[in-house]
Amino acid sequence: MLEISNIDTYYGKAQALWDVSLSVDEGEIVALVGSNGAGKTTLLKTLSGVLRPASGTVTFLGQRIDGLAPHSIVEMGISHIPEGRRLFTQMSVGENLEMGAYVHAAWKRREETLDQVHEIFPVLKERQGQLASTLSGGEQQMVAMGRGLMSRPRLCLFDEPSYGLAPMLVTEIFRVIQDLRNQGMTVLLVEQNVRQSLEIADRACVLENGRIALAGECEALLEEELVKKAYLGL
Amino acid sequence: MVTLLNMVIGGLLLGGLYALIAMGLTLQYGVARVLNISHGEFIMLGGMTTWTLYTVFGINPLVCLAICGPIAFVLGFGIHRVLFRRLQASAPSQGAFESSSMLASFGLLFIIQNLASIAWGTEIRAYTYLAIPVHLAGAVFQANRLVALGCAVAIGVAFYIFVARTRMGKAIRAAAQDPATAGLMGVNINSVLALCFGLGAAMAGAAGVLISMIYPVHVVMGMPYTVIAMIVVALGGLGSIPGSFIGGFVLGLVGSIVAYMDPGLSLVAYYGIFILLLLVRPTGIMGR
Ligand SMILES: Nc1ncnc2c1ncn2[C@@H]1O[C@H](COP(=O)(O)OP(=O)(O)OP(=O)(O)O)[C@@H](O)[C@H]1O
Ligand SMILES: [Mg+2]
């Protein structure tokens, strides 16, 4: 479904990704792990069009998407749920969700999608009229995820959705991601919670200093010395 | 009592125009991040064009509103497309863009002013339209001022509803708060910025039409209005549309009261408020 081949990405003159290749198949959860500053967010930004790769290609459903503007990439069915939630804090919860459905095709079906999002996160229905900035951290993350789903994507790019949440909420977020996949969603998941991510993912890859260090099936990776030492504390 | 009422009504009449001008600048500066020094030139273009349309072709100034507004929109939209968008694309940072775009708008001011003086000359132009006295609670005002206020408020309210309710209006608000994230939602950010710049120019053009109904117009009339718009934007809070609307009326009231004591002092009072505000509440009335 998504084919990333030999991507190099720069911030100005500073290179952040070196020759990154990765593929995500339809219906899969692929986990992307790595330490702080490894380039995980940079990779997601390159996929969603916020950054342009200097070389390499990104193909989605058979079409080249590298070099397209972010709004065109959302229209094709990729939703990037950014790091740090990035809610529109001066807007209500309901308006934030509406903004998620901005693309034309999703706008027409926004009521129907909203019901689905409310089913996943019932608390958002109660909070509808509240300013997004007045919600708790967990609720804000739910708004961010709900907003990302409002565009009716086929592929979700989650950037550390469990960051800063209490353990119970972390479990809840992982359960939601699993449910989404069971309903046919494809997921590329960036996470710090390595153990939990590898439990729900089909495949995973480890990014180190802007390069892919390891990639493979999750069961196999859990046995890797590097993963055990660096990320599982064994 | 009657003089107080006089001042208040006079202030509201003036405030409506200020509110309209300031909302336009709010869109250009608060959303598109261009501190548009040539804002007043679009006011001038609206005023001069209306003078020509009315005195030469006999077109009603209210009809001119429907002509000048859209023309100014197209002009502003085009200027953003060919100039500011490119500056933004080539700027290394947002700060660099804000200063280069301000300098570019300075250049725009001179270009527009010079072209206008070739077209219209440098004489002061005026016409009379609806100069009928209207008695309002003991005070007397000319009908054209009431019509101008009515139009300014109608445009302001219509725009507020547009921004609060519609899909495109919400995209404008989202882009004002966080352009990168708005892009992730599917908002074509370049189009929205050009739209905001164009709408800002349209409001300036419309304000120029309304101003020409009341005051004489000339090709260098723009600058004081630009300054007033900046003061109101600072007063209302950067990027806040209701803030600039309310701020416009506040400044209009102050201007009217001060002008009653000494007409020469209104600009002094405006600057006084501006400096006081920067010291006491730099985020403005509605700012965060
Ligand atoms: N806007 C930027 N300008 C310049 N360099 C940047 C920028 N954003 C990130 N970088 C650099 O790029 C590298 C990768 O950063 P990135 O944010 O992708 O890491 P990450 O894996 O997401 O880390 P984290 O787990 O902390 O979120 C880092 O060295 C970082 O300093
Ligand atoms: Mg990151």
Side-chain angles (χ1 to χ4, degrees):
Chain A
M1 179 178 229
L2 181 76
E3 255 326 304
I4 306 163
S5 322
N6 312 100
I7 288 286
D8 289 328
T9 300
Y10 290 77
Y11 288 101
K13 287 201 172 68
Q15 188 164 1
L17 293 181
W18 276 267
D19 197 29
V20 171
S21 299
L22 174 69
S23 69
V24 181
D25 293 331
E26 182 137 27
E28 263 191 324
I29 297 179
V30 175
L32 182 62
V33 301
S35 50
N36 291 113
K40 307 180 293 294
T41 299
T42 306
L43 180 56
L44 293 196
K45 282 182 175 173
T46 309
L47 299 178
S48 62
V50 176
L51 297 171
R52 282 181 187 198
S55 60
T57 60
V58 182
T59 320
F60 179 63
L61 297 172
Q63 267 179 289
R64 281 281 292 271
I65 61 164
D66 52 280
L68 292 185
H71 66 91
S72 310
I73 293 178
V74 190
E75 279 167 12
M76 295 182 66
I78 299 182
S79 184
H80 179 174
I81 293 86
E83 189 172 24
R85 306 176 193 126
R86 302 289 287 266
L87 299 184
F88 301 112
T89 50
Q90 305 304 112
M91 289 183 170
S92 67
V93 169
E95 283 179 322
N96 267 277
L97 294 176
E98 253 186 348
M99 275 313 294
Y102 184 80
V103 300
H104 274 291
W107 188 258
K108 288 196 204 104
R109 301 175 66 181
R110 67 188 186 283
E111 315 244 312
E112 175 193 345
T113 323
L114 188 64
D115 287 341
Q116 293 166 355
V117 167
H118 283 159
E119 219 165 278
I120 302 172
F121 302 114
V123 67
L124 298 188
K125 193 165 185 176
E126 295 159 32
R127 300 275 184 266
Q128 206 148 329
Q130 221 167 306
L131 273 188
S133 55
T134 63
L135 299 188
S136 74
E139 289 165 341
Q140 289 193 10
Q141 185 56 50
M142 293 178 197
V143 178
M145 291 178 72
R147 187 181 65 175
L149 294 172
M150 287 297 291
S151 65
R152 308 186 66 87
R154 299 185 61 178
L155 169 66
C156 276
L157 315 173
F158 289 108
D159 198 344
E160 305 204 18
S162 76
Y163 184 78
L165 300 185
M168 255 183 54
L169 276 172
V170 174
T171 309
E172 169 74 8
I173 296 287
F174 276 99
R175 189 190 56 75
V176 168
I177 293 174
Q178 229 171 345
D179 284 353
L180 284 172
R181 188 266 296 275
N182 292 341
Q183 287 158 28
M185 184 74 74
T186 310
V187 175
L188 180 56
L189 173 65
V190 165
E191 257 301 337
Q192 299 269 3
N193 278 310
V194 175
R195 186 183 292 277
Q196 262 168 308
S197 322
L198 295 189
E199 271 164 19
I200 67 163
D202 304 293
R203 290 186 300 124
C205 85
V206 180
L207 209 55
E208 266 185 1
N209 299 320
R211 293 181 176 83
I212 301 274
L214 272 176
E217 307 281 326
C218 289
E219 290 93 11
L221 282 183
L222 282 166
E223 298 304 315
E224 284 278 344
E225 281 308 311
L226 173 85
V227 175
K228 277 187 181 169
K229 273 211 199 87
Y231 302 106
L232 302 176
L234 298 176
Chain B
M1 245 354 260
V2 171
T3 52
L4 181 69
L5 201 68
N6 236 323
M7 284 191 289
V8 170
I9 297 173
L12 291 178
L13 294 176
L14 194 60
L17 290 175
Y18 289 179
L20 187 55
I21 295 167
M23 279 203 311
L25 190 68
T26 289
L27 281 172
Q28 298 186 331
Y29 187 42
V31 187
R33 294 279 153 194
V34 178
L35 184 51
N36 183 15
I37 308 290
S38 66
H39 191 54
E41 306 319 305
F42 290 84
I43 298 172
M44 179 272 289
L45 286 179
M48 298 305 289
T49 307
T50 304
W51 175 79
T52 303
L53 291 176
Y54 185 61
T55 57
V56 179
F57 302 102
I59 297 173
N60 185 313
L62 290 177
V63 176
C64 293
L65 211 53
I67 299 172
C68 294
I71 291 177
F73 173 82
V74 171
L75 207 59
F77 191 90
I79 287 173
H80 193 276
R81 270 281 146 100
V82 300
L83 178 64
F84 294 113
R85 179 181 165 177
R86 282 170 199 213
L87 285 176
Q88 183 136 42
S90 61
S93 70
Q94 192 62 25
F97 170 68
E98 285 186 27
S99 48
S100 68
S101 65
M102 191 184 81
L103 289 176
S105 75
F106 236 118
L108 219 50
L109 177 155
F110 290 116
I111 293 171
I112 296 174
Q113 230 175 55
N114 281 313
L115 291 179
S117 37
I118 293 168
W120 283 290
T122 51
E123 296 98 279
I124 293 176
R125 314 284 190 173
Y127 61 88
T128 42
Y129 171 70
L130 280 182
I132 311 157
V134 176
H135 295 266
L136 247 184
V140 185
F141 293 94
Q142 295 203 329
N144 54 27
R145 298 193 67 181
L146 295 174
V147 170
L149 174 66
C151 291
V153 169
I155 294 171
V157 169
F159 182 70
Y160 184 77
I161 292 171
F162 165 71
V163 161
R165 297 280 166 79
T166 65
R167 172 173 173 270
M168 186 56 76
K170 284 173 188 175
I172 289 177
R173 278 157 62 209
Q177 288 175 40
D178 186 343
T181 305
L184 292 182
M185 302 297 114
V187 176
N188 182 341
I189 213 71
N190 283 323
S191 293
V192 166
L193 298 187
L195 178 77
C196 286
F197 198 85
L199 285 173
M203 286 183 194
V209 176
L210 299 178
I211 287 169
S212 75
M213 288 167 33
I214 308 169
Y215 304 110
V217 290
H218 47 94
V219 290
V220 291
M221 67 186 274
M223 196 56 179
Y225 288 112
T226 304
V227 173
I228 286 168
M230 283 177 188
I231 294 173
V232 175
V233 167
L235 195 66
L238 180 62
S240 164
I241 289 156
S244 49
F245 197 67
I246 295 165
F249 282 100
V250 170
L251 204 70
L253 282 171
V254 170
S256 162
I257 291 164
V258 173
Y260 186 76
M261 298 184 276
D262 183 347
L265 284 182
S266 13
L267 262 185
V268 177
Y270 293 165
Y271 283 116
I273 291 184
F274 187 44
I275 292 169
L276 198 71
L277 188 81
L278 289 181
L279 290 172
V280 178
R281 191 167 160 75
T283 51
I285 307 173
M286 307 276 281
R288 289 148 263 139

